[in-house]
Structures are given as structure tokens and as C-alpha cells.
Amino acid sequence: QVQLVESGGGLVQPGGSLRLSCTASGASGIIFPMNPMGWYRQCLGLERELVAQITSGGRTNYAESLKGRFTISRENANNTVYLQMNGLKPDDTAVYSCWARGMNGRDYWGKGTLVTVSS
């Protein structure tokens, strides 16, 4: 059974930084490498939205509004994707979910990690 497990969420003050991690595990050879991998978020009362995606080759795609503050990266050998978030604002408060597409074409999701930006 494939699992995507996120970590790194929590409470941070405005202007602060957090780094989220997500590791995929439990998979057979039919889904690795997962490509692409990425992060989505859902703010209270809003629909889930793309934060960023990254391919196994390092090509990235960001939500336009988050460019310059958020950086996505990955370690292919460890099936891990990261999201470095700087200059956090209260509007960034959301549940951040890891996403990945396996070689079998299926999409996989983590359970999500809550990021709260508040003073």
C-alpha cells in the first residue's frame, strides 16, 4: 500500500519560515519514480489549490502568487519532496497536502499537515 507521509507543519508567526517534507513509501516497482510530486493546499472555506509541482528532472511549476516565497525540491533516491516556505502570511494558513503521480498513472495523496500563520 502506497503512503505519502507529510511532516513539518505547525504554528509560525507572520514573516516566519517552515519546511514541509513528504516521503512516499510502501510501493512496488510499478509506481517509482513518482513523477511529478508536489504540494497542494486548502485554506478554510476555499477549494484545494496547487502550490507547486516538481518533476524527477527538477522542472518546477508554482502557483503564480507564491513564486519567490515558496521553493519546492525533491530527493529522488528517497522519494521525498520538500516545500520551503518563507515570508509566511496569515493567508497562507491552510492544510498542505502532498501529491504524487505514480508510474502506473494513479494519483496519490497524503493526509495533509496544518500550517497556521498567526501572531
Side-chain angles (χ1 to χ4, degrees):
Q1 182 177 357
V2 177
Q3 284 188 313
L4 271 63
V5 180
E6 302 105 333
S7 62
L11 174 65
V12 63
Q13 292 187 344
S17 298
L18 279 178
R19 189 191 195 206
L20 305 182
S21 301
C22 170
T23 298
S25 64
S28 70
I30 63 171
I31 73 159
F32 286 134
M34 306 196 87
N35 192 31
M37 300 183 75
W39 294 91
Y40 285 73
R41 71 181 185 183
Q42 186 166 19
C43 305
L44 186 64
L46 300 178
E47 293 186 355
R48 185 166 58 193
E49 61 178 357
L50 169 71
V51 174
Q53 294 178 338
I54 185 169
T55 68
S56 58
R59 182 176 298 178
T60 59
N61 177 40
Y62 291 92
E64 195 66 31
S65 62
L66 301 177
K67 286 182 179 179
R69 292 195 299 123
F70 288 16
T71 302
I72 191 169
S73 60
R74 66 185 286 173
E75 291 182 359
N76 292 330
N78 297 325
N79 302 309
T80 299
V81 62
Y82 304 97
L83 184 68
Q84 177 67 42
M85 304 184 292
N86 299 327
L88 284 162
K89 306 174 182 179
D91 286 349
D92 294 319
T93 295
V95 174
Y96 286 72
S97 298
C98 179
W99 164 85
R101 179 161 294 160
M103 289 181 64
N104 59 1
R106 291 183 60 184
D107 289 341
Y108 297 89
W109 291 90
K111 292 183 178 180
T113 184
L114 177 62
V115 171
T116 303
V117 185
S118 175
S119 56

